[in-house]
Amino acid sequence: MSEHEDELADAQTESPSSLGRRRALSIGVGVLGGGLALGPLIPALGYILHPLSNTITSAGEGFIGVGGRGQFGPTIPIKVDLFADRKDAWSVTRQVKIGSCWVLEREGELKAFSTVCPHLGCSIDFDTEANAFRCPCHRSEFDLDGKPVEGPSPRALDTLEVKEEKELVAIRYRRFRQNISEKVEV
Ligand code: FES
């Protein structure tokens, strides 16, 4: 009898439980072999898929135009939305809203205050009756210079850089850490 015929004969006489063990063993060896073969490919896959899981935003690096100088006066702040291109790994989305700010003139100079509350990040409103900035979440209140006058905010409203060029106004948008007394960019 040949070796192959011997093996066949063995398999026919083997009990079902022994056949099951043999199958489980061969599946385990297959999985282990497959894992070892894929091992070197994992860093390469990570490299290829990396951009899908990691969005990089470079929007708002520069100044963003918000309109003519004439629209901003000393009494009522104007809220402006800031738009910029958002860059992901492989694509650019044009003109995405990246934030907002309040703009007004103080002693002849334009000031821009981020609408993000320095306390816990709610959106700051302007109350025309009280002539003050207010946060609806925990009732922080700020005067027209952005100074806190009431509530839990640990610092003044965050100012943003303003540039005026040929009667046009541009603002550099930034975000800052919340609930700390210093203004620290994130
Ligand atoms: S988030 Fe504005 S006062 Fe708390």
Side-chain angles (χ1 to χ4, degrees), residues 59-73:
E61 286 302 317
F63 282 89
I64 299 166
V66 294
R69 172 67 176 85
Q71 67 183 310
F72 303 112

Side-chain angles (χ1 to χ4, degrees), residues 150-165:
E150 212 178 297
S153 178
R155 63 172 188 266
L157 290 179
D158 295 316
T159 51
L160 301 169
E161 272 183 84
V162 182
K163 196 163 77 172
E164 286 179 56
E165 234 174 60

Side-chain angles (χ1 to χ4, degrees), residues 3-20 22-23:
E3 199 177 317
H4 182 60
E5 285 167 334
D6 280 347
E7 277 172 15
L8 274 177
D10 284 351
Q12 278 161 4
T13 55
E14 230 170 340
S15 70
S17 67
S18 140
L19 268 174
R22 192 200 281 241
R23 265 195 209 117

Side-chain angles (χ1 to χ4, degrees), residues 117 119-122 124 135 137-140 152-153:
C117 180
H119 181 222
L120 294 178
C122 289
I124 299 284
C135 178
C137 290
H138 312 100
R139 301 181 179 200
S140 280
S153 178

Side-chain angles (χ1 to χ4, degrees), residues 45-62:
L45 278 175
Y47 176 78
I48 293 164
L49 295 175
H50 168 78
L52 296 178
S53 60
N54 189 14
T55 301
I56 302 157
T57 302
S58 62
E61 286 302 317

Side-chain angles (χ1 to χ4, degrees), residues 48-120:
I48 293 164
L49 295 175
H50 168 78
L52 296 178
S53 60
N54 189 14
T55 301
I56 302 157
T57 302
S58 62
E61 286 302 317
F63 282 89
I64 299 166
V66 294
R69 172 67 176 85
Q71 67 183 310
F72 303 112
T75 47
I76 306 282
I78 306 284
K79 188 177 179 183
V80 294
D81 293 329
L82 299 149
F83 295 86
D85 292 346
R86 184 183 292 265
K87 247 190 234 171
D88 293 331
W90 289 307
S91 61
V92 177
T93 311
R94 300 279 171 213
Q95 295 302 291
V96 177
K97 183 178 164 186
I98 58 165
S100 306
C101 62
W102 289 103
V103 184
L104 85 163
E105 188 189 302
R106 298 300 286 160
E107 294 166 3
E109 243 184 65
L110 281 189
K111 294 262 182 206
F113 299 115
S114 169
T115 56
V116 179
C117 180
H119 181 222
L120 294 178

